[in-house]
Amino acid sequence: MRIGLVGLGRMGFNMRERLRRAGHEVIGYDRDPQVRDVSGLRELVAELSGPRLVWLMVPAGDPTRQTVAELAELLSPGDLIIEGGNSRYTDDQEHAKLLAEHGVGYLDCGVSGGVWGLEVGYGLMVGGDAELVERAMPIFDALRPEGPREEGFAHAGGVGAGHYAKMVHNGIEYGLMQAYAEGFELLDASDVVTDVPAVLKAWSRGTVVRSWLLDLLIKALDSDPELDDLRGYVEDSGEGRWTVQEAINHAVPAPVISAALFARFASRQPDSPAMRAVAALRNQFGGHAVQQAGPSSGTGQVSDGS
Amino acid sequence: MRIGLVGLGRMGFNMRERLRRAGHEVIGYDRDPQVRDVSGLRELVAELSGPRLVWLMVPAGDPTRQTVAELAELLSPGDLIIEGGNSRYTDDQEHAKLLAEHGVGYLDCGVSGGVWGLEVGYGLMVGGDAELVERAMPIFDALRPEGPREEGFAHAGGVGAGHYAKMVHNGIEYGLMQAYAEGFELLDASDVVTDVPAVLKAWSRGTVVRSWLLDLLIKALDSDPELDDLRGYVEDSGEGRWTVQEAINHAVPAPVISAALFARFASRQPDSPAMRAVAALRNQFGGHAVQQAGPSSGTGQVSDGS
Amino acid sequence: MRIGLVGLGRMGFNMRERLRRAGHEVIGYDRDPQVRDVSGLRELVAELSGPRLVWLMVPAGDPTRQTVAELAELLSPGDLIIEGGNSRYTDDQEHAKLLAEHGVGYLDCGVSGGVWGLEVGYGLMVGGDAELVERAMPIFDALRPEGPREEGFAHAGGVGAGHYAKMVHNGIEYGLMQAYAEGFELLDASDVVTDVPAVLKAWSRGTVVRSWLLDLLIKALDSDPELDDLRGYVEDSGEGRWTVQEAINHAVPAPVISAALFARFASRQPDSPAMRAVAALRNQFGGHAVQQAGPSSGTGQVSDGS
Amino acid sequence: MRIGLVGLGRMGFNMRERLRRAGHEVIGYDRDPQVRDVSGLRELVAELSGPRLVWLMVPAGDPTRQTVAELAELLSPGDLIIEGGNSRYTDDQEHAKLLAEHGVGYLDCGVSGGVWGLEVGYGLMVGGDAELVERAMPIFDALRPEGPREEGFAHAGGVGAGHYAKMVHNGIEYGLMQAYAEGFELLDASDVVTDVPAVLKAWSRGTVVRSWLLDLLIKALDSDPELDDLRGYVEDSGEGRWTVQEAINHAVPAPVISAALFARFASRQPDSPAMRAVAALRNQFGGHAVQQAGPSSGTGQVSDGS
């Protein structure tokens, strides 16, 4: 097939390559002249013939919204846009509505796999009409991993379902990462376990906790056994936040995913206002004098809370 | 009454004063010669006549254990020890057993109130035999706040019940403090609330969240409206830990108390090994190149988890 | 002063009474003919003379939005609406904008105190212009508890700040309630503490955890010492949810408040889909036969996770 | 090699089979006459010649302790016991000490893999002296999965390190399971995702969350797409509890693992005392009348917390 691809960052760049290896013709556009095939959206559209297929891989939020709006003007009835970025599923519903007014179809596609996707393939979750999904299937088949289609691709539901599924995927991912991380720290803190990387590596096969994320952690420890080259400072993207907010909207308890999210927030605070408040309260128990006081020299004590 | 008091730190020193104001004769012993009335436990015992009453106010763990063991040798059948420190309730059961072999009675008493107790009185939770509780009641009445006895004193059950109740009291306290602290941080982060101390002060009367802890936080903000003089570094004492461990032993869910405890642990970590592991995993998604990379210049993206 | 009051439910009804006791003239409107003074908003407005003051006490969301919209048409430039319900602070900003187009002023006021407010007074947190706050001060003074104004009233900031503060107040409240609740359950589970209500009552004075909420819990235990008359099923209102969502928006860790919220969600689930998934996973470890199997008769074992 | 194996439950039975397939001679003992090769520990020891090797696979706690004590009397200096069950690592240290007095060696070995281990092999984590580990290596090699030794086997440290590593493994497992479970529930609650099993299946390849546990969940959904045949009631074994208690001992924050543990506790409560306490508090806000009251008929409201 011939397809337009907007956004050639780390993800889009590799996806173009994987599609081409599968024999598809890809016209790529990016703001960066170094990587693009055409110089603008108009040129990209001109290179395609109807019914056109344009895949978006630009940052979620305003950049995606703006690209959808521009393409709505450039595309023709019967064309199809696939939003493969990380849009919030409610945005998808607005995109679909806008494009429907121009007779342009819309699918949302959650894409997982990171830089490994080029070789391994990408896990795909798609939302939208079955007929449109069918039309784009050669593209999905090229992007997804080899093996049975249903093990790397799902038609999850109507518009938004693909990104909803991806949102939940990322929320789960936060929880999984934090679970391994807490275990790592506890092994690290132990007096009896003397070879932490060896223990994690031994979990690679046969154990209940074996996973691709575990393999990645083992890999990281291979080159940096104490993870000393890194700081414990972790960003979060929108999807973890949306997962918890959506859980709240549905009254679904999400203690693990939210704990993982909050651990990231806390990791970025050089000093926590909340913990200053707790420290202030503890000082108040002990009286103002406590603030300057060193350890008591007597046998007496004041516990916190006594 | 005449009573021996071992341990004249911040708590014990004030308790001696409060007991004396109530007309009791207190013989105090401490390692610190500046504050003590007698020079040793032997001297303290000699100053009392049977049946003796000795109150312990020394640090929990080995110091208390050792003091109990020494007193077991010095006291006589019919004497009574009240452990007013922060012993774990299982320690109380061992202390009582040891002393029973010497015919010496034992009560455990959880004491709450901090430096404010001298003026306001101390909340007391006692474990042990009813007869012994009755014998020591004049002391409890002097220490507890004015008002109906049951509003500042409870006979909670057999040996250990007093410290068990105190342990839970402190666990709750951790949760309460953290709840206010999170609220404080969220107010502080807000764009619309411009006078955080005023909001907290306005909660003093009439609101659902009014409490003594809130009053203390307001007091702290009075002198330091941004809590800038403090670091968000918070110690914990044994009781918060014991509360969660005991909850686990009883299969009681304790998500709030444990979250408060973990927030304190995290506050003391200059860098978190767990979060280094999460950071390492995120780097692995994006490939090794990500570690040095600045923000992407293209319109493309790699989300975490994509 | 003369004031219109829309909404005479449990809160509004009592507030009318408290305002009248303070000497204000209150014209109350409610859908319920039994409690209202006038039969419609138009009649209510007619009973007031400019500049008018109308206090809203209707359910948050659509009912409040609709009432604001109707009053926008009925009121005159220079009039003032105070939204005393539980609107989300972002709604306030929309209300204020709409009313500004009609020259009508707007204040949002978070009100805390429940049914006790009639006698004790209500804690008030107000957002909006200082000039408007000043105009309504006689009303605020009548509603707030006696004592220094700043201990029951705060001008928290611009429009929305009052309800933002109330939102955080309620989030904190969730955390406080859950902390006491976990402690209660742990005392209840204990073998050594034999008189749980006595322990809670003893915390009334002198202790660190004393509070109005504790007093309410003691009151509840007075009439139902095991809380047997109740089910552990707890609703939540919008504010707890908003607090966590707002915390996420500001990257503020809120482990305690979110844990309290999730505990309420879980309390309402007769059966948890998530825990069915965990049960399904455990069954898979043990093989399909496990589902029907009773306890093993051998000395051997399969642990979960082995 | 020739080896004695005590405990032929689900795990031990399969391990005997796997060892025999690898060519080892296994003498198995169990209380159950149907599955055992010899009728008692004495007979088992008699069938082996020194230096003997005996693998234990009996329930943790007293059964293991008792078996170790009996074997201490029956074995000879130079013999070796491998504890392959789920002992707490502190128990291992006591076992090793006791056996050392008899000149008998001791290794602790955490074993992961469940019923799948027979075919796939078991992940092994071993604690104890390197010399003893070397002696038992043919057995470890037979039990572990095929592939590089270090991907299914680790010598984690001294005595106790194997079970410490297994404890952490299981703690992580709790977190992983709960993360998937929360995601499952959120997908299930969604209006837009209409095919939840398809989404999970699509995560099998290429995605960040792919894992063996995910494969098991997909398998479970294959035969029961709504998990309707199960109740959301989940047991826990000692290791999850120990992990959190150990984290507390080391001041390691473990919000995710503890949240997963508490979710299991809560899943087993038909009614939660803690949530009854929260419900009681909410009733107190609204006054006693609230308990019987249905929904208010007026337009007014009382929010929780107001």
Side-chain angles (χ1 to χ4, degrees):
Chain A
M1 288 180 85
R2 196 169 170 90
I3 181 174
L5 177 52
V6 182
L8 299 166
R10 274 193 291 276
M11 288 293 283
F13 189 90
N14 281 347
M15 289 165 77
R16 178 174 61 179
E17 178 63 17
R18 186 168 173 93
L19 286 168
R20 284 179 174 164
R21 290 187 192 171
H24 296 292
E25 289 176 87
V26 188
I27 319 297
Y29 167 69
D30 193 280
R31 288 185 312 183
D32 179 357
Q34 308 258 348
V35 296
R36 69 195 182 191
D37 305 312
V38 290
S39 60
L41 288 178
R42 186 174 300 274
E43 291 72 16
L44 179 131
V45 170
E47 292 278 337
L48 303 169
S49 55
R52 297 180 189 86
L53 183 50
V54 181
W55 186 292
L56 307 191
M57 215 62 205
V58 299
D62 285 339
T64 293
R65 262 179 233 121
Q66 194 178 327
T67 309
V68 167
E70 287 180 41
L71 286 170
E73 302 300 329
L74 295 169
L75 292 174
S76 308
D79 290 349
L80 171 61
I81 287 182
I82 304 177
E83 204 310 72
N86 281 312
S87 288
R88 195 163 190 169
Y89 80 98
T90 46
D91 281 2
D92 291 315
Q93 293 164 343
E94 289 174 31
H95 297 158
K97 201 172 147 193
L98 170 69
L99 292 169
E101 292 167 10
H102 295 78
V104 175
Y106 184 83
L107 295 174
D108 57 286
C109 180
V111 177
S112 178
V115 295
W116 304 84
L118 173 58
E119 302 301 334
V120 176
Y122 302 91
L124 305 176
M125 302 136 253
V126 179
D129 287 349
E131 190 197 4
L132 299 177
V133 172
E134 201 50 46
R135 197 202 301 176
M137 194 59 82
I139 300 300
F140 296 138
D141 278 340
L143 290 173
R144 69 171 175 82
E146 286 182 36
R149 182 185 286 164
E150 65 270 21
E151 295 185 2
F153 170 89
H155 181 196
V159 167
H163 280 138
Y164 194 100
K166 178 67 180 358
M167 173 192 79
V168 174
H169 167 281
N170 283 29
I172 291 172
E173 176 196 309
Y174 277 46
L176 303 181
M177 289 166 81
Q178 188 69 23
Y180 286 116
E182 291 177 14
F184 168 76
E185 180 167 338
L186 187 50
L187 287 173
D188 196 50
S190 158
D191 304 318
V192 298
V193 172
T194 50
D195 193 345
V196 175
V199 167
L200 290 174
K201 193 160 206 166
W203 293 346
S204 300
R205 296 171 187 260
T207 70
V208 173
V209 302
R210 63 193 193 259
S211 73
W212 188 64
L213 278 166
L214 177 65
D215 293 343
L216 293 184
L217 185 52
I218 292 164
K219 222 172 150 68
L221 289 165
D222 267 351
S223 57
D224 182 9
E226 304 277 342
L227 301 179
D228 282 336
D229 297 346
L230 293 162
R231 279 183 54 221
Y233 178 102
V234 187
E235 296 288 353
D236 73 288
S237 64
E239 285 133 330
R241 300 182 179 205
W242 299 338
T243 303
V244 179
Q245 290 177 325
E246 202 61 31
I248 290 171
N249 288 339
H250 287 284
V252 167
V256 157
I257 296 175
S258 60
L261 180 64
F262 293 144
R264 293 189 177 196
F265 291 170
S267 81
R268 304 200 300 260
Q269 297 185 306
D271 191 54
S272 156
M275 300 320 287
R276 288 208 305 274
V278 175
L281 282 169
R282 292 185 88 232
N283 273 357
Q284 292 289 330
F285 296 160
H288 197 64
V290 170
Q291 273 178 294
Q292 285 89 28
S296 162
S297 63
T299 61
Q301 64 175 350
V302 61
S303 93
D304 81 320
S306 60
Chain B
M1 288 180 82
R2 197 170 170 89
I3 181 174
L5 177 53
V6 181
L8 299 166
R10 273 193 292 275
M11 288 293 283
F13 188 91
N14 281 347
M15 289 165 76
R16 178 174 62 178
E17 178 63 17
R18 187 168 172 94
L19 286 168
R20 283 177 176 165
R21 289 186 193 173
H24 297 291
E25 290 176 88
V26 187
I27 318 298
Y29 167 70
D30 193 280
R31 289 185 311 183
D32 179 357
Q34 307 258 348
V35 296
R36 69 196 183 190
D37 305 312
V38 290
S39 59
L41 288 178
R42 186 175 299 277
E43 291 71 17
L44 179 131
V45 170
E47 291 279 337
L48 303 169
S49 55
R52 296 181 189 85
L53 184 50
V54 181
W55 187 292
L56 306 191
M57 214 61 205
V58 299
D62 285 338
T64 293
R65 262 179 234 121
Q66 195 178 328
T67 309
V68 167
E70 288 179 41
L71 286 170
E73 302 300 328
L74 296 169
L75 292 174
S76 308
D79 290 350
L80 171 61
I81 287 181
I82 304 178
E83 204 310 71
N86 281 311
S87 288
R88 195 163 190 169
Y89 79 98
T90 45
D91 281 1
D92 290 316
Q93 293 164 343
E94 290 174 31
H95 297 160
K97 200 172 149 193
L98 171 69
L99 292 169
E101 293 167 10
H102 295 79
V104 175
Y106 184 82
L107 296 174
D108 58 286
C109 181
V111 178
S112 178
V115 296
W116 304 85
L118 171 58
E119 302 301 333
V120 176
Y122 301 92
L124 305 176
M125 301 136 254
V126 179
D129 287 350
E131 190 196 6
L132 300 177
V133 172
E134 200 50 45
R135 198 202 299 175
M137 194 58 82
I139 300 300
F140 295 139
D141 278 340
L143 289 173
R144 70 170 174 81
E146 285 182 38
R149 182 185 286 163
E150 66 270 21
E151 295 186 2
F153 169 89
H155 181 196
V159 167
H163 280 137
Y164 193 99
K166 178 66 178 359
M167 173 191 80
V168 174
H169 167 282
N170 283 28
I172 291 172
E173 177 196 308
Y174 277 46
L176 302 181
M177 289 166 80
Q178 188 69 23
Y180 286 115
E182 291 177 14
F184 168 75
E185 181 167 338
L186 187 50
L187 287 172
D188 196 50
S190 159
D191 304 318
V192 298
V193 172
T194 50
D195 192 344
V196 175
V199 167
L200 291 173
K201 193 161 206 165
W203 292 346
S204 300
R205 296 171 187 259
T207 70
V208 172
V209 302
R210 63 193 193 259
S211 73
W212 188 64
L213 278 166
L214 177 65
D215 293 343
L216 292 183
L217 186 52
I218 292 164
K219 222 174 151 67
L221 289 165
D222 267 351
S223 57
D224 181 10
E226 304 278 342
L227 301 179
D228 283 336
D229 298 346
L230 292 162
R231 280 182 54 220
Y233 178 102
V234 187
E235 297 286 354
D236 73 288
S237 64
E239 285 133 331
R241 300 182 179 204
W242 300 338
T243 303
V244 179
Q245 290 177 324
E246 200 63 29
I248 290 172
N249 288 339
H250 287 284
V252 166
V256 158
I257 296 175
S258 61
L261 181 63
F262 293 143
R264 293 189 177 196
F265 291 170
S267 80
R268 304 200 299 262
Q269 297 185 307
D271 191 55
S272 156
M275 300 319 288
R276 289 208 305 273
V278 175
L281 282 168
R282 292 185 89 233
N283 273 358
Q284 292 289 328
F285 296 161
H288 197 64
V290 170
Q291 274 178 294
Q292 284 89 27
S296 162
S297 63
T299 61
Q301 63 175 350
V302 61
S303 93
D304 80 321
S306 59
Chain C
M1 288 180 86
R2 196 169 170 88
I3 181 173
L5 177 54
V6 182
L8 300 166
R10 274 192 292 276
M11 289 294 283
F13 188 91
N14 281 347
M15 290 165 76
R16 178 175 60 179
E17 178 63 19
R18 187 169 173 94
L19 286 169
R20 284 178 176 166
R21 289 185 192 172
H24 296 291
E25 289 177 88
V26 187
I27 318 296
Y29 167 69
D30 193 280
R31 288 185 313 182
D32 179 358
Q34 306 259 348
V35 297
R36 69 196 183 191
D37 305 314
V38 291
S39 59
L41 288 179
R42 186 174 300 275
E43 290 73 16
L44 180 131
V45 169
E47 292 279 336
L48 303 169
S49 54
R52 297 181 190 85
L53 184 50
V54 181
W55 186 292
L56 306 190
M57 213 63 203
V58 299
D62 285 337
T64 293
R65 262 178 232 121
Q66 195 178 327
T67 307
V68 167
E70 288 180 40
L71 287 170
E73 301 300 328
L74 295 169
L75 292 174
S76 308
D79 291 348
L80 170 61
I81 286 182
I82 305 177
E83 204 312 71
N86 281 312
S87 288
R88 196 164 188 168
Y89 80 98
T90 45
D91 281 2
D92 290 316
Q93 293 163 343
E94 289 174 31
H95 296 159
K97 200 173 149 193
L98 171 70
L99 291 168
E101 293 167 10
H102 294 80
V104 175
Y106 184 84
L107 295 175
D108 58 286
C109 179
V111 177
S112 178
V115 296
W116 304 85
L118 172 57
E119 302 302 333
V120 176
Y122 302 90
L124 305 176
M125 300 135 252
V126 179
D129 286 350
E131 188 196 6
L132 300 177
V133 172
E134 201 49 48
R135 196 202 301 176
M137 196 57 84
I139 300 300
F140 296 138
D141 278 340
L143 289 174
R144 69 169 176 82
E146 285 181 37
R149 181 185 285 163
E150 66 270 22
E151 296 185 3
F153 169 90
H155 182 196
V159 167
H163 280 138
Y164 193 101
K166 179 66 180 359
M167 175 192 77
V168 174
H169 167 281
N170 283 27
I172 291 172
E173 177 197 308
Y174 277 46
L176 302 181
M177 289 167 81
Q178 189 68 24
Y180 287 116
E182 292 178 12
F184 169 75
E185 181 167 337
L186 188 50
L187 287 173
D188 196 49
S190 158
D191 304 318
V192 298
V193 171
T194 51
D195 192 346
V196 174
V199 166
L200 290 173
K201 194 161 205 163
W203 292 346
S204 300
R205 295 171 188 261
T207 71
V208 172
V209 302
R210 64 192 192 260
S211 73
W212 188 64
L213 278 167
L214 176 66
D215 293 343
L216 291 184
L217 185 52
I218 292 165
K219 219 171 153 69
L221 288 165
D222 267 349
S223 56
D224 181 10
E226 304 278 342
L227 301 180
D228 283 336
D229 297 346
L230 292 163
R231 280 182 53 222
Y233 178 103
V234 187
E235 296 287 354
D236 73 289
S237 64
E239 284 132 331
R241 299 181 180 204
W242 300 337
T243 304
V244 179
Q245 290 177 325
E246 201 62 31
I248 291 172
N249 288 340
H250 287 284
V252 167
V256 157
I257 296 174
S258 61
L261 181 64
F262 293 144
R264 293 188 176 197
F265 290 170
S267 81
R268 304 200 300 261
Q269 296 184 308
D271 192 55
S272 156
M275 299 320 286
R276 288 209 304 274
V278 175
L281 282 169
R282 292 185 88 233
N283 273 356
Q284 292 289 331
F285 296 160
H288 198 63
V290 170
Q291 273 178 294
Q292 285 89 27
S296 161
S297 64
T299 59
Q301 64 176 349
V302 62
S303 91
D304 80 322
S306 61
Chain D
M1 288 179 86
R2 195 170 172 89
I3 181 174
L5 177 54
V6 182
L8 299 167
R10 273 193 291 275
M11 289 294 282
F13 189 91
N14 281 348
M15 289 165 77
R16 179 174 61 179
E17 179 62 19
R18 187 169 172 94
L19 286 169
R20 283 178 176 166
R21 290 186 192 172
H24 296 291
E25 288 177 88
V26 188
I27 318 297
Y29 167 69
D30 193 280
R31 287 185 314 182
D32 179 357
Q34 307 259 349
V35 297
R36 69 196 183 191
D37 305 313
V38 291
S39 60
L41 289 179
R42 185 174 302 273
E43 289 72 16
L44 181 131
V45 170
E47 292 278 336
L48 303 169
S49 55
R52 297 180 189 85
L53 183 51
V54 181
W55 186 291
L56 306 191
M57 214 62 204
V58 300
D62 286 338
T64 293
R65 262 179 233 120
Q66 195 178 327
T67 308
V68 167
E70 287 180 42
L71 287 170
E73 302 300 328
L74 295 169
L75 293 174
S76 308
D79 291 349
L80 170 62
I81 286 182
I82 304 177
E83 204 312 70
N86 281 312
S87 288
R88 196 163 189 168
Y89 79 97
T90 45
D91 281 2
D92 290 316
Q93 293 164 340
E94 290 174 30
H95 297 160
K97 200 173 150 192
L98 171 69
L99 291 168
E101 293 167 10
H102 295 78
V104 175
Y106 184 83
L107 295 174
D108 58 286
C109 179
V111 177
S112 178
V115 297
W116 304 84
L118 172 57
E119 302 302 333
V120 177
Y122 301 91
L124 305 177
M125 301 136 253
V126 179
D129 286 351
E131 188 196 6
L132 300 177
V133 173
E134 201 50 47
R135 197 203 299 176
M137 195 58 83
I139 300 300
F140 295 138
D141 278 340
L143 289 173
R144 69 170 175 82
E146 285 181 37
R149 181 185 286 164
E150 66 271 21
E151 295 185 4
F153 169 89
H155 182 196
V159 167
H163 281 137
Y164 193 100
K166 178 65 178 1
M167 174 192 78
V168 173
H169 167 282
N170 283 28
I172 291 172
E173 177 197 308
Y174 277 47
L176 302 180
M177 290 167 79
Q178 188 69 23
Y180 286 115
E182 291 178 14
F184 168 75
E185 181 167 338
L186 188 50
L187 287 173
D188 195 50
S190 159
D191 304 318
V192 298
V193 172
T194 51
D195 193 345
V196 175
V199 167
L200 291 174
K201 193 161 205 163
W203 293 345
S204 299
R205 295 172 188 260
T207 70
V208 172
V209 302
R210 64 192 192 260
S211 73
W212 188 65
L213 278 167
L214 177 65
D215 294 342
L216 292 183
L217 186 53
I218 291 164
K219 220 173 155 68
L221 288 166
D222 268 349
S223 57
D224 182 10
E226 303 279 341
L227 300 180
D228 283 336
D229 298 346
L230 292 162
R231 280 182 54 221
Y233 178 103
V234 187
E235 296 287 354
D236 72 289
S237 64
E239 284 132 331
R241 299 182 180 204
W242 300 338
T243 304
V244 179
Q245 291 178 326
E246 202 62 30
I248 291 172
N249 288 339
H250 286 284
V252 167
V256 157
I257 296 175
S258 61
L261 180 64
F262 293 144
R264 294 188 176 197
F265 290 171
S267 81
R268 305 199 300 261
Q269 297 185 309
D271 192 55
S272 155
M275 300 319 287
R276 289 209 304 273
V278 175
L281 282 169
R282 292 185 88 233
N283 273 357
Q284 292 288 330
F285 296 161
H288 197 64
V290 170
Q291 273 177 295
Q292 285 88 26
S296 162
S297 64
T299 60
Q301 63 174 349
V302 62
S303 91
D304 80 321
S306 63

